[in-house]
Amino acid sequence: MNKAHLALILTFAAFGSVVGTHVGSIPVLIAKSGISPFAFGIAGSLGMLVNIGCMAAGGLVNRIASPRTVLLFIVPVSIAVLLAALSSNSPVTFFVTFLLLNACIGTMDIFMNAEASVVEHEFSRPVFSTYHACAMLAIAGFALAGSMTSVLLAPWFGIVLAAVPLLLAWGAIHKHFHERGPAVVTAGHERVPLPRGLLTVIGLAAGFSVTCEVAAIQWSGQLLAKVAPDFAAFSGLGLCFFGICSGGMRLFGDRLRTGFGDLRVMSVGLAVAVAGFAGLGLAPGFWLSALAFAAVGFGVSLVFPCLFALAGRLAPQARAAAMSYTALVGGLPRVALPWTLGVLAAAHSVNTVFAACAVFALASLVLIVMAFARAGQRLSAA
């Protein structure tokens, strides 16, 4: 196996360990910190704002540091910030550490995806979905582990588990990532103008889709507490189920992309996700909710890797800049909609959150069809 490919698998898994451990602990942290559903919605929007800001700055950061250098810096920082987040016990510490952790997540996200885009280009075959499968499966496993350690021991104990993949990833990045000098990226960025109109459509589609995915991740615990109170203490079970379905789908995603094409894969997937979200909005029981989460996990699993791969193909000499711009545009729905979901949950119920996500997923599908119609013309002309 290509060593850079293996290093990326470990990096995406480490990313998932950070997200999963934190989200799995959130119900306990919310209770300890006294955070209401409305306040959690505000935290989600502010966290997204920080996350998107860090991702959007990727092109600028890449002028002075390579992806390898940035990742070697942000991985140990993420360990420290995650420990602080898991130790929060007041509204102030919850909000501050929530924002800092989103900064770490956003920075890791853009640079590991930029490196993944390069490796996929070098392989001359789709591999993006495999990386994102590793991230989702890690989120699933560490969400369950995080919720269990939070209840049985203490939230901060989750860092003992999460630190293992993070340290392994750091060692793999140090040893196997190529040093792609910032001067090379900068030169490419200056020579090649970005197709901003097309990237704007892709970014909005990604923003709606990621909002749905994050909502499923962040609100699954509250939904599980409603439909199955006996399992409320282990809220990571809902996210675990979602992550296994999403990650399992991504393991086969590259074969599906090769066999059917990105547009067909995303169109069918989002149609399934719309049905799943609509089902959750109808307030079903535990088993119907589980089936609906399976549909959502399967449905949204391949949208993000397909869209980021497309953004990278449209600007092969300025991949980090193209992805940063896409992330910046996608920040519009990703920042505004979590607050909206918090308002809906406070005014109505958690099920309303998922009903709204059905609408967001449908909007993403429409934008994707528009984007691929324009991208096909551009890529064929090139």
Side-chain angles (χ1 to χ4, degrees):
M1 179 183 291
N2 182 283
K3 291 182 178 180
H5 179 58
L6 177 60
L8 273 170
I9 288 175
L10 289 172
T11 303
F12 275 78
F15 173 88
S17 74
V18 174
V19 176
T21 302
H22 186 237
V23 173
S25 304
I26 275 182
V28 174
L29 294 174
I30 285 177
K32 289 179 59 180
S33 304
I35 302 295
S36 67
F38 177 78
F40 185 63
I42 295 294
S45 285
L46 293 177
M48 277 294 180
L49 183 62
V50 172
N51 184 291
I52 296 303
C54 291
M55 292 182 71
L60 296 176
V61 174
N62 216 168
R63 293 173 180 263
I64 59 175
S66 68
R68 177 179 180 273
T69 300
V70 174
L71 289 170
L72 286 174
F73 169 78
I74 203 63
V75 167
V77 171
S78 297
I79 296 176
V81 173
L82 178 59
L83 175 59
L86 295 175
S87 303
S88 62
N89 56 9
S90 70
V92 173
T93 56
F94 181 90
F95 267 80
V96 171
T97 56
F98 191 90
L99 299 182
L100 289 175
L101 193 61
N102 270 274
C104 294
I105 290 171
T107 303
M108 283 186 68
D109 200 346
I110 189 63
F111 283 98
M112 70 182 188
N113 274 290
E115 189 70 16
S117 178
V118 173
V119 172
E120 180 173 84
H121 177 73
E122 292 174 348
F123 274 22
S124 299
R125 61 180 176 85
V127 292
F128 240 91
S129 297
T130 300
Y131 300 141
H132 285 265
C134 294
M136 284 307 305
L137 291 174
I139 288 175
F142 281 90
L144 181 57
S147 66
M148 294 183 69
T149 55
S150 295
V151 174
L152 300 177
L153 299 171
W156 63 265
F157 197 83
I159 193 65
V160 177
L161 302 176
V164 174
L166 284 163
L167 292 174
L168 288 174
W170 191 92
I173 292 167
H174 183 270
K175 188 173 183 179
H176 300 307
F177 271 24
H178 298 299
E179 186 63 54
R180 309 179 196 281
V184 175
V185 178
T186 302
H189 175 72
E190 293 174 350
R191 287 198 307 266
V192 182
L194 298 178
R196 296 184 183 274
L198 180 51
L199 291 175
T200 297
V201 178
I202 295 173
L204 290 173
F208 279 112
S209 176
V210 172
T211 297
C212 293
E213 190 169 348
V214 171
I217 291 172
Q218 292 185 341
W219 291 94
S220 61
Q222 289 88 321
L223 181 68
L224 187 61
K226 175 181 177 181
V227 301
D230 293 341
F231 293 98
F234 300 95
S235 60
L237 284 172
L239 177 54
C240 181
F241 193 86
F242 170 87
I244 289 173
C245 294
S246 180
M249 183 68 173
R250 286 175 176 176
L251 284 176
F252 299 98
D254 293 322
R255 298 178 187 175
L256 293 173
R257 290 175 62 197
T258 301
F260 299 99
D262 286 0
L263 179 58
R264 288 191 182 91
V265 167
M266 286 191 288
S267 297
V268 173
L270 281 172
V272 173
V274 169
F277 279 124
L280 291 169
L282 297 175
F286 177 78
W287 291 111
L288 288 178
S289 294
L291 291 174
F293 261 114
V296 170
F298 284 124
V300 302
S301 59
L302 299 180
V303 176
F304 185 81
C306 286
L307 288 177
F308 257 55
L310 175 61
R313 290 199 303 271
L314 290 169
Q317 301 302 318
R319 295 177 188 273
M323 291 180 179
S324 293
Y325 181 82
T326 302
L328 178 62
V329 174
L332 296 175
R334 290 175 67 182
V335 169
L337 296 181
W339 174 82
T340 304
L341 296 178
V343 171
L344 290 173
H348 301 285
S349 69
V350 177
N351 299 89
T352 313
V353 169
F354 295 102
C357 284
V359 178
F360 302 156
L362 184 60
S364 180
L365 176 57
V366 172
L367 290 168
I368 285 171
V369 173
M370 294 171 54
F372 268 77
R374 295 176 60 182
Q377 299 172 357
R378 179 182 178 88
L379 292 174
S380 61

